[in-house]
Amino acid sequence: MNASDERTVSLWSGIEVAPDAAPLARNEDFDVVIVGSGIAGMSIAYELAAAGQKVAVLDRGRIGGGMTARTTAHLASVCDDYFSELIGLRGEELARLYFQSHSAAIARIEAIQAAEHIACDFRRLDGFLFPAAGGEEADLRRELEAGLKIGIAVEEVAGLPLSGHGDTPALRYPDQATFHPLKYLGGLAAGIRARGGTLYSETIVDKVEESDSGVRVGTNSGLTVTARWAIVATNSPINDRVALHTKQAPYRTYAMAFEIARGIVPDGLYWDTEDPYHYVRLHPGDDESDFLIVGGEDHKTGTADNADDRFAALTSWIRGLVPDLGAETHRWSGQVMETIDYAAFIGRNPGNERLFVVTGDSGEGMTHGVVASLLISEAILGGDSPWRELYEPSRKTVSAVGNYLAENATMIKNFAEYVAPGEVESVDRLRPGEGAIVRKGMTKIAAFRSDDGTLHRRSAACTHVGCHVHWNSLERCWDCPCHGSHFAVDGTVLNAPAVSPLAEID
């Protein structure tokens, strides 16, 4: 999703990564072409350009304007879904490699921002996991044991600088980090260009094909890019309809920023054990104030349209913990792709030799994206990675079959909506600023009336595999619950995997 297409604005969105990037204007040939300019695409481009490869990055919107602009930018080597769970699904050795790979990603960001002199507010800090209200200390003990088992320097501590938690037990994870994601991408963009790389904005890729000698990337303008290698790094991949999409699911997450006087909360990363969990960090402000960022209240994409309630819940939760919190400054939402076994899909696309894919951020998109840059660049340059098995896109995790069935039930339920009545009887019932599904005979229509009264009518069938889209009143877009596509009110694609706009209605 392009941040400029959203109604909400994140704390980071005032930074333009490469404002002078232009659309692809002619057919081109490169060593490597990368589709997507978020943390994954730009990090891969940086590594390969630094190795002497002729690299191009293509994005459907502005450079860095997608989900990386809507993150909360925690840089964590701690598994979002708990190491005890990961060990149960994948075993101790792969869980250990997960921790090591994400630690390596943080170290790589630290090294690059130092080498490129990127002023992105990078800093190392501790991460703290604490029990939810009424939560069991057994949850912490289980995670402590799992962490120690795979070699993490985690320790139990007593007390947190949060109201009502002076004696609360928590786990402290050292050597975590955070930064300003778009300032960092801006530094990567400069580094890529300094090494001969090219960035193309407003360039919509609608086809990626592999041949014996290379790859061909087609755009909706009719222009093509040929290369020896291609990487699809589009949050949810545009090149696949089934293989990967059945093993991950899209979730909406919500974030807010508040003013806070410096020193009230020590700099750190804070997570609770709620389900869905909450996550908190600070970001430097001006003079004597900072920003406190809180996120959470996740739900499966397209299954709820109650953002105001979720922001209210976030506000209530954080103000209960930090009574001296200042005024709200920003609120926004984003999308994460949750895999059935908690690790991303990074590597060769199933069935391909020269086409790589990065998807399944599982709530840790910043570090997963940099892991991808290390793993994929090594593969292209002729090496091998000790992390390949962990992130192998074609893997089948038999122990995660329950998660697989649960996530894919959404698609079955979704198609049944086509025989249900519309949400309103007629488009005439729509007031300015409202969107809803309307039935017209056998057709479902995604209808929206703009503030000036203009009526937008499009097919309610997502152009990826035909799922039924749902209205998102916060961002004023149509969300697909099946695989995470988002569409503007005029049908334009905002987020992959769809590449074609919602069909017009006669």
Side-chain angles (χ1 to χ4, degrees), residues 252 254 297-300 302-313 331 471-474:
R252 270 278 174 185
Y254 297 85
E297 297 297 319
D298 303 12
H299 63 80
K300 207 163 188 181
T303 60
D305 187 28
N306 57 350
D308 286 345
D309 293 341
R310 294 177 188 270
F311 284 125
R331 59 172 56 187
W471 178 240
N472 177 339
S473 58
L474 173 69

Side-chain angles (χ1 to χ4, degrees), residues 73-84 86 94-107 109 124-128 143 146-147 150-154 172-178 269 271 342 362-368 371 390-391:
H74 289 235
L75 300 176
S77 56
V78 183
C79 178
D80 241 19
D81 296 283
Y82 303 123
F83 278 116
S84 58
L86 185 59
L94 292 183
R96 184 176 297 110
L97 290 174
Y98 184 103
F99 169 70
Q100 292 173 355
S101 63
H102 285 258
S103 298
I106 297 172
I109 292 172
R124 290 279 188 169
L125 35 69
D126 290 336
F128 297 91
E143 280 310 293
I150 60 177
I152 301 175
V154 56
R172 184 182 74 87
Y173 294 89
D175 287 329
Q176 309 303 298
T178 192
L269 305 181
W271 315 284
Y342 312 141
S362 292
E364 296 185 273
M366 298 300 97
T367 44
H368 264 131
V371 167
L390 172 62
Y391 297 109

Side-chain angles (χ1 to χ4, degrees), residues 247-264:
K247 298 190 291 185
Q248 63 181 12
Y251 282 77
R252 270 278 174 185
T253 188
Y254 297 85
M256 307 177 76
F258 298 85
E259 293 176 344
I260 187 170
R262 188 159 297 156
I264 289 180

Side-chain angles (χ1 to χ4, degrees), residues 77-150:
S77 56
V78 183
C79 178
D80 241 19
D81 296 283
Y82 303 123
F83 278 116
S84 58
E85 295 289 330
L86 185 59
I87 290 171
L89 287 176
R90 308 289 304 275
E92 285 184 30
E93 181 55 29
L94 292 183
R96 184 176 297 110
L97 290 174
Y98 184 103
F99 169 70
Q100 292 173 355
S101 63
H102 285 258
S103 298
I106 297 172
R108 187 57 181 150
I109 292 172
E110 184 174 29
I112 290 173
Q113 60 89 33
E116 298 289 340
H117 306 289
I118 306 172
C120 61
D121 302 304
F122 177 91
R123 59 209 185 274
R124 290 279 188 169
L125 35 69
D126 290 336
F128 297 91
L129 176 68
F130 62 99
E136 296 290 335
E137 290 185 28
D139 295 336
L140 292 188
R141 288 196 297 272
R142 185 169 57 249
E143 280 310 293
L144 177 64
E145 293 171 3
L148 294 174
K149 192 178 295 184
I150 60 177

Side-chain angles (χ1 to χ4, degrees), residues 30-36 41 44-45 48 53-58 205 207-211 213-218 225-234 238-239 346-349 352-358 376-377 379-380:
F30 295 91
D31 293 326
V32 183
V33 59
I34 299 161
V35 185
I44 296 167
L48 290 171
Q53 297 288 301
K54 184 183 177 185
V55 175
V57 178
L58 283 61
V205 172
K207 187 177 297 184
V208 184
E209 299 173 318
E210 179 180 282
S211 67
S213 58
V215 290
R216 180 180 178 275
V217 173
V225 175
T226 54
R228 294 172 57 217
W229 310 93
I231 299 102
V232 174
T234 54
I238 62 171
N239 59 295
I346 303 169
R348 284 182 167 84
N349 189 62
N352 291 108
E353 179 64 26
R354 295 181 173 273
L355 175 58
F356 292 81
V357 68
V358 185
I376 290 175
S377 64
I380 287 176

Side-chain angles (χ1 to χ4, degrees), residues 267-281:
D267 202 9
L269 305 181
Y270 302 87
W271 315 284
D272 74 359
T273 58
E274 193 79 57
D275 185 17
Y277 76 106
H278 302 92
Y279 38 100
V280 180
R281 60 159 286 198

